[in-house]
């Protein structure tokens, strides 16, 4: 799997978590907050993939 594929996947996951958080915010704010935290974690992984040493040569 290429780095760009990993980045695209994490971006998709973050967007999905955000969409679900938006849908559930009024009925279950605790779950919505957790989903937003997971989205932030996905974004941190994207940043690590872009700048980290693991894939520096492939980026």
């Amino acid at each position: 799997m290429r780095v760009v594929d990993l980045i695209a996947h994490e971006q998709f996951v973050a967007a999905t978590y955000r969409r679900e958080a938006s849908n559930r915010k009024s009925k279950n704010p605790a779950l919505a907050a957790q989903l937003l935290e997971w989205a932030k974690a996905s974004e941190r992984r994207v940043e690590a993939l872009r700048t980290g040493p693991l894939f520096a040569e492939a980026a």
Side-chain angles (χ1 to χ4, degrees):
M1 184 173 263
R2 299 178 318 156
V3 175
V4 293
D5 295 332
L6 295 170
I7 290 171
H9 173 73
E10 286 296 341
Q11 290 171 330
F12 169 77
V13 168
T16 302
Y17 287 148
R18 282 204 167 77
R19 187 171 44 255
E20 278 300 310
S22 177
N23 290 340
R24 296 171 186 260
K25 187 176 183 178
S26 63
K27 290 186 179 182
N28 194 339
L31 177 58
Q34 182 64 57
L35 289 166
L36 290 175
E37 289 302 315
W38 290 351
K40 290 177 188 176
S42 287
E43 290 175 350
R44 287 191 297 272
R45 285 190 293 275
V46 166
E47 190 59 30
L49 287 167
R50 286 185 176 146
T51 62
L54 183 60
F55 296 104
E57 296 176 6

